[in-house]
């Protein structure tokens, strides 16, 4: 599903050049549940951003479903992102002037789906995440854990094939984490490909993991 072949990603800030990823090769199969692990600054977010077509690689090759897409134009990459990926970030990134259900349905806006249908889809997901009673609250009226659950619903509304979750459990308590993990478990049984990152160990999730990829200083251990 996702293949990186000797991928390097460098950032330059002033005179300092950082290799955020240093010749990394990984092959992630359809339906795999992969955990990215490693200390802060080891390259997990950079890997996620490349896998999700949010950042371009500096060198190497990047394949999505056996198609090398490293050099595809921006509009093509954003179409792929909209269609195939669900992103869950460490910061929830909800828009405060919108209600919970509206935030959840935002990815459907470019698809020209009616408001009634958008709300219906959003409500189904909010129910799954035990958040239906907060549907009409504004995003800034939600607790941190509720915001993260809403962000998870938003990531899933386009029924993505691939879910990228960057430290999704870092800023929430155990109860909220359990709800998110239950949803991830369901996605796994549906055959979705899931990549999730942690900077610490997450015993709650151990039974779901197919593979752990450990990063250190931009390299895979
Ligand atoms: N946009 C950027 N500009 C410059 N350096 C960056 C940028 N993004 C990440 N880095 C650097 O790349 C390295 C890896 O960062 P990151 O992928 O965010 O690690 P992690 O998610 O494991 O904490 C770090 O040293 C970080 O400072
Ligand atoms: Mg990170």
């Amino acid at each position: 599903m996702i293949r990186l072949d000797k991928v390097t990603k460098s950032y330059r800030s002033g005179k300092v050049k950082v290799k955020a990823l240093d010749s990394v090769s990984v092959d992630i199969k359809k339906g795999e549940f992969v955990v990215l692990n490693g200390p802060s600054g080891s390259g997990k977010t950079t890997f996620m951003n490349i896998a999700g077509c949010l950042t371009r690689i500096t060198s190497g090759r990047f394949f999505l479903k056996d198609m090398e897409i490293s050099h595809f134009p921006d509009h093509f990459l954003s179409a792929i992102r909209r269609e195939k990926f669900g992103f869950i970030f460490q910061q929830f990134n909800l828009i405060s002037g919108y209600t919970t259900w509206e935030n959840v349905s935002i990815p459907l806006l470019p698809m020209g789906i009616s408001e009634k249908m958008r709300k219906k889809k959003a409500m189904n997901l909010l129910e799954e995440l035990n958040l239906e009673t907060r549907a009409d609250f504004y995003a800034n009226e939600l607790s941190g854990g509720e915001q993260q659950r809403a962000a998870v619903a938003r990531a899933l509304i386009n029924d993505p094939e691939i879910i990228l979750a960057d430290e999704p459990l870092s800023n929430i308590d155990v109860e909220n984490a359990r709800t998110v993990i239950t949803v991830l478990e369901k996605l796994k049984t549906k055959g979705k490909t899931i990549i999730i990152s942690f900077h610490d160990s997450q015993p709650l999730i151990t039974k779901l993991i197919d593979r752990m990829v450990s990063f250190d200083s931009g390299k895979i251990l």
Side-chain angles (χ1 to χ4, degrees):
M1 187 64 97
I2 289 172
R3 181 150 68 91
L4 277 70
D5 183 15
K6 297 198 185 78
V7 164
T8 293
K9 174 71 186 181
S10 313
Y11 290 108
R12 184 182 294 280
S13 100
K15 281 191 181 138
V16 185
K17 197 171 157 197
V18 181
K19 272 190 185 172
L21 286 184
D22 187 0
S23 194
V24 161
S25 298
V26 187
D27 192 350
I28 295 172
K29 303 210 165 22
K30 182 172 159 56
E32 261 196 308
F33 191 110
V34 176
V35 168
L36 312 180
N37 200 250
S40 177
S42 57
K44 303 181 298 294
T45 296
T46 304
F47 182 94
M48 288 271 181
N49 289 342
I50 288 169
C53 309
L54 288 158
T55 307
R56 287 184 190 276
I57 62 179
T58 307
S59 65
R61 300 174 83 190
F62 169 52
F63 299 84
L64 186 67
K65 289 188 164 182
D66 287 331
M67 190 163 56
E68 188 173 6
I69 62 166
S70 325
H71 307 294
F72 281 18
D74 285 344
H75 66 89
F76 196 94
L77 295 180
S78 49
I80 290 180
R81 278 201 301 274
R82 267 206 305 276
E83 233 180 76
K84 303 220 180 300
F85 288 94
F87 295 95
I88 305 167
F89 299 100
Q90 191 175 0
Q91 294 83 17
F92 317 128
N93 297 327
L94 298 177
I95 303 174
S96 52
Y98 287 94
T99 64
T100 304
W101 85 260
E102 286 170 338
N103 266 283
V104 170
S105 76
I106 282 172
L108 299 178
L109 284 174
M111 299 174 190
I113 296 171
S114 72
E115 175 169 335
K116 196 174 158 207
M117 193 44 121
R118 279 191 285 119
K119 182 153 192 184
K120 189 165 172 247
K121 282 175 180 262
M123 291 308 294
N124 283 342
L125 277 166
L126 288 173
E127 260 168 49
E128 220 175 295
L129 285 144
N130 301 324
L131 210 56
E132 69 275 19
T133 58
R134 300 291 184 271
D136 293 316
F137 282 45
Y138 285 98
N140 56 301
E141 296 170 336
L142 303 178
S143 73
E146 288 166 348
Q147 287 185 42
Q148 182 60 308
R149 281 185 279 145
V152 170
R154 182 188 53 193
L156 301 178
I157 195 122
N158 61 343
D159 194 26
E161 276 180 77
I162 305 162
I163 292 102
L164 299 178
D166 196 6
E167 305 208 24
L169 309 181
S170 288
N171 294 324
I172 58 177
D173 60 32
V174 173
E175 204 47 47
N176 280 295
R178 272 188 219 285
T179 309
V180 172
I181 290 165
T182 305
V183 171
L184 291 172
E185 207 167 352
K186 250 190 230 169
L187 291 166
K188 183 176 164 153
T189 55
K190 283 189 193 165
K192 307 288 188 186
T193 307
I194 303 168
I195 307 177
I196 187 166
S197 76
F198 299 114
H199 65 263
D200 50 6
S201 70
Q202 287 287 346
L204 285 174
I205 212 155
T206 313
K207 66 176 194 271
L208 297 180
I209 301 175
D210 292 317
R211 192 146 55 113
M212 176 110 84
V213 180
S214 292
F215 285 86
D216 193 25
S217 306
K219 287 184 189 291
I220 291 176
L221 296 180

